[in-house]
Amino acid sequence: MFSSLMFTGLMANTWIAATIVAVIAGMTGFFAVLRGEAFAAHAIPNGAFAGAAGASLLGVNVIWGLAVVAIASALGIGALGSKARHDVVTALTLVLMLGLGALFVSISNQYAQQAYSLLFGEVFGVSSADVPLIAVLGVLALAGIGLAFRPLMLTSAMPEVAEARGVSVRGMEIYFLVVMALATSMTVPVVGALLLFSLMIGPAAAARSITARPGLALALSVAIALITVWLSIALSYQTNWPLGFFVGVGGALFYLAGLAARGLAGLGGGTRRVHPAA
Amino acid sequence: MFPLLQLDGVGVRLGGRQVLSDVSFTVGKGEFAAIIGPNGAGKTTLIRVILGLRPTSAGRVIKGVNGAGAGRVGYVPQKIVIDSDIPLRAWDVVALGLDGHKLGFPFPSRRRREQVEQALQDVGALGYADARVGELSGGEQQRVLIAHALVSRPQLLLLDEPLANLDLRSEQEIVTLLGKLAREHEIAVLLSAHDMNPLLPVMDRIIYVANGKVATGSTDEVVTSEGLTRLYGHPVDVLRVRGRVVVVAGD
Ligand SMILES: Nc1ncnc2c1ncn2[C@@H]1O[C@H](COP(=O)(O)OP(=O)(O)OP(=O)(O)O)[C@@H](O)[C@H]1O
Ligand SMILES: [Mg+2]
């Protein structure tokens, strides 16, 4: 029923770019959810929108604008987050960036189209020239998460114990935010800031409900992100409905399925041995 | 006796207030020492100073023989807050104790599995090795965290109020376990508690904290009406009934 046309020409770039984006979103989203930084995962891509708008105003590749602003936001949230409340700082960073973004977009002459594509993505318009840069930034973000898998786990689960062992909780926090910013700057132009958020949170939240094994949960998070993206592209191509609709619905459905799976596992009872109280 | 931990005239100021002053004691290899004191006395503060998580305002903390470092130091914090959704089994938490600071993904090996299982077995937590750690009870999490601290075979084990969440039976089991670790594995165990009674059978040294100061020695030396009256700065009576020690404020 699917047309084979959707794997040829321009669409090949779409599949490649979207696949890279899904892997990155699944991996970084996994730790964003685990560390309770879903809000930062929302704020950084949306804030980075200002950078993209600024870059296009200056006539620079938007990826550079995204990268600079995303990393600056990450460092800002990381640096101020220890003094003030994390969510408050994140929210302030977000509104500041959105304000700037609105200003840049209004100065620029092609604002409406530009703004729309940064928020909702241009997954069907990825050019061959974009693919290598996306791939390089993607590999960097992946290596960043993979390399720090264990310290990230340790600081997420037991910050005080980690600190006592000489693993800096604040250091890991800033490190993670910067990796997320890097991931953001390459993924926003492809899927857009809003879609990126659902792709980072939905699959990761579902994965951690389904299994308690850390490695498997990470792999599942990536797998669910991939399935969501692939299905969404195919459906969007066929129906001409917006991609965002399918990604959003897919994320929510997988999350609910995850909750249901965990509920069922809970009902099945454990294999734990319990000793009676004295 | 080799002192693995030595404090010399340590003072700590927090928020402009002198919380502890002139704290001196040693804990030797294979010794079981307990920091005892009421809420707010400074037990957690003292442990954090030893871990290097809080600066001292005076004195020094020396770890290891001749300050050569105590090897790995195991630590179990007072407040264990583990997100109930985090994808980690009890097993994984213990494995993180082995190599959680290292980069990259863990390389599964038979030796690694055996070490983790041994630590879980040592604390009696093998039965829930595969359970999601955030869904375990407070006492079960306590055991898992002790296993996390133990698995890398530390020379010095610090535990902040490890008995706070436990029922009587678990309390006895953990005390026996910690005593055994001190004797058989020659680990220096230093823990804090607000009640000394469960520890009386295994405790070699008491570090009694009150009023910003400490008194240290064997229980018989430290826990006397005169000694604690001097420490608290007001009359205190120590009663010994049926092998239990009761400290009451006099008037
Ligand atoms: N960061 C801080 N700033 C200022 N004062 C502090 C700080 N941390 C602790 N204190 C104070 O230091 C004193 C000792 O606190 P600590 O947590 O060490 O007590 P504790 O003996 O562990 O008590 P508990 O039995 O309740 O755990 C308390 O009076 C506390 O209010
Ligand atoms: Mg305390």
Side-chain angles (χ1 to χ4, degrees):
Chain A
M1 111 200 179
F2 288 136
S3 145
S4 62
L5 264 182
M6 73 182 191
F7 299 105
T8 54
L10 252 188
M11 281 305 287
N13 294 329
T14 296
W15 287 107
I16 296 170
T19 299
I20 300 172
V21 168
V23 174
I24 304 299
M27 273 190 99
T28 46
F30 176 76
F31 279 108
V33 167
L34 208 104
R35 300 172 68 82
E37 304 204 72
F39 188 40
H42 174 66
I44 291 179
N46 281 289
F49 160 73
S56 77
L57 200 62
L58 295 174
V60 190
N61 187 341
V62 291
I63 288 200
W64 298 118
L66 284 167
V68 167
V69 173
I71 289 172
S73 307
L75 291 175
I77 294 171
L80 293 173
S82 64
K83 296 199 184 72
R85 279 194 41 191
H86 207 285
D87 51 351
V88 175
V89 172
T90 309
L92 285 176
T93 311
L94 174 60
V95 291
L96 176 68
M97 289 304 157
L98 286 179
L100 279 177
L103 175 68
F104 292 156
V105 167
S106 80
I107 299 173
S108 148
N109 47 10
Q110 0 134 300
Y111 60 96
Q113 198 264 333
Q114 181 85 54
Y116 185 85
S117 69
L118 284 173
L119 288 177
F120 296 100
E122 277 186 313
V123 75
F124 294 112
V126 180
S127 75
S128 316
D130 293 336
V131 170
L133 186 53
I134 292 172
V136 167
L137 285 173
V139 168
L140 276 180
L142 271 190
I145 295 285
L147 207 63
F149 181 75
R150 279 180 283 185
L152 277 172
M153 266 296 177
L154 187 63
T155 51
S156 311
M158 301 172 291
E160 230 197 308
V161 176
E163 197 77 55
R165 288 183 62 180
V167 180
S168 163
V169 173
R170 231 167 95 58
M172 287 316 295
E173 159 94 13
I174 293 179
Y175 175 85
F176 174 67
L177 288 172
V178 168
V179 171
M180 191 154 74
L182 205 66
T184 294
S185 49
M186 53 137 307
T187 43
V188 161
V190 183
V191 288
L194 294 177
L195 280 196
L196 174 60
F197 178 62
S198 33
L199 209 49
M200 278 171 100
I201 303 308
R208 78 169 174 174
S209 302
I210 294 170
T211 176
R213 291 168 182 265
L216 186 61
L218 179 62
L220 261 179
S221 173
V222 171
I224 296 175
L226 277 172
I227 294 172
T228 306
V229 161
W230 287 338
L231 270 180
S232 300
I233 290 180
L235 289 170
S236 173
Y237 186 86
Q238 292 296 314
T239 59
N240 264 326
W241 289 15
L243 183 75
F245 169 74
F246 293 109
V247 171
V249 170
L253 282 182
F254 272 116
Y255 180 60
L256 290 177
L259 282 187
R262 187 162 165 198
L264 286 179
L267 288 180
T271 50
R272 304 170 39 186
R273 274 171 272 140
V274 178
H275 67 75
Chain B
M1 187 196 72
F2 300 106
L4 276 177
L5 175 68
Q6 186 179 348
L7 275 76
D8 274 334
V10 167
V12 184
R13 289 184 75 83
L14 284 177
R17 199 165 63 87
Q18 192 76 30
V19 176
L20 291 168
S21 47
D22 202 22
V23 177
S24 302
F25 63 86
T26 59
V27 183
K29 200 173 169 186
E31 204 176 8
F32 191 111
I35 304 171
I36 305 291
N39 288 134
K43 303 182 293 293
T44 297
T45 303
L46 195 49
I47 287 180
R48 293 180 64 84
V49 161
I50 294 168
L51 285 166
L53 296 177
R54 277 228 185 290
T56 55
S57 62
R60 50 194 191 138
V61 177
I62 304 164
K63 280 180 264 189
V65 185
N66 301 323
R72 280 263 303 108
V73 177
Y75 169 54
V76 181
Q78 176 171 9
K79 292 190 205 103
I80 303 172
V81 201
I82 297 185
D83 183 352
S84 64
D85 287 331
I86 201 162
L88 280 176
R89 297 161 298 166
W91 199 97
D92 302 304
V93 169
V94 178
L96 282 176
L98 207 54
D99 50 25
H101 57 289
K102 291 194 184 149
L103 296 181
F105 290 95
F107 191 74
S109 74
R110 184 158 152 200
R111 190 175 132 73
R112 183 167 182 270
R113 203 182 65 232
E114 282 169 356
Q115 279 175 302
V116 170
E117 275 169 12
Q118 183 61 49
L120 280 163
Q121 171 125 49
D122 284 345
V123 301
L126 207 48
Y128 39 88
D130 286 332
R132 194 184 284 262
V133 66
E135 289 176 347
L136 294 175
S137 77
E140 290 167 338
Q141 289 184 356
Q142 185 76 260
R143 285 168 193 255
V144 173
L145 262 86
I146 295 176
H148 167 100
L150 272 183
V151 70
S152 59
R153 301 277 157 221
Q155 281 183 283
L156 176 62
L157 185 59
L158 300 172
L159 308 99
D160 198 358
E161 301 259 9
L163 307 181
N165 273 320
L166 306 182
D167 61 27
L168 260 175
R169 170 171 170 165
S170 300
E171 182 180 276
Q172 268 167 19
E173 283 176 8
I174 293 286
V175 169
T176 311
L177 161 73
L178 293 174
K180 204 174 103 178
L181 288 171
R183 301 277 145 2
E184 291 176 12
H185 298 261
E186 299 211 298
I187 296 176
V189 175
L190 176 63
L191 58 75
S192 75
H194 51 264
D195 180 13
M196 71 184 89
N197 282 297
L199 302 165
L200 291 175
V202 290
M203 184 162 60
D204 300 310
R205 177 186 302 269
I206 187 169
I207 297 143
Y208 202 105
V209 196
N211 217 3
K213 290 172 296 184
V214 305
T216 172
S218 71
T219 0
D220 288 339
E221 288 160 16
V222 172
V223 189
T224 61
S225 297
E226 304 76 57
L228 292 192
T229 295
R230 217 177 310 122
L231 190 64
Y232 276 102
H234 60 77
V236 168
D237 287 318
V238 174
L239 312 172
R240 286 188 158 75
V241 265
R242 297 195 201 181
R244 287 178 62 83
V245 178
V246 187
V247 179
V248 287
D251 44 18

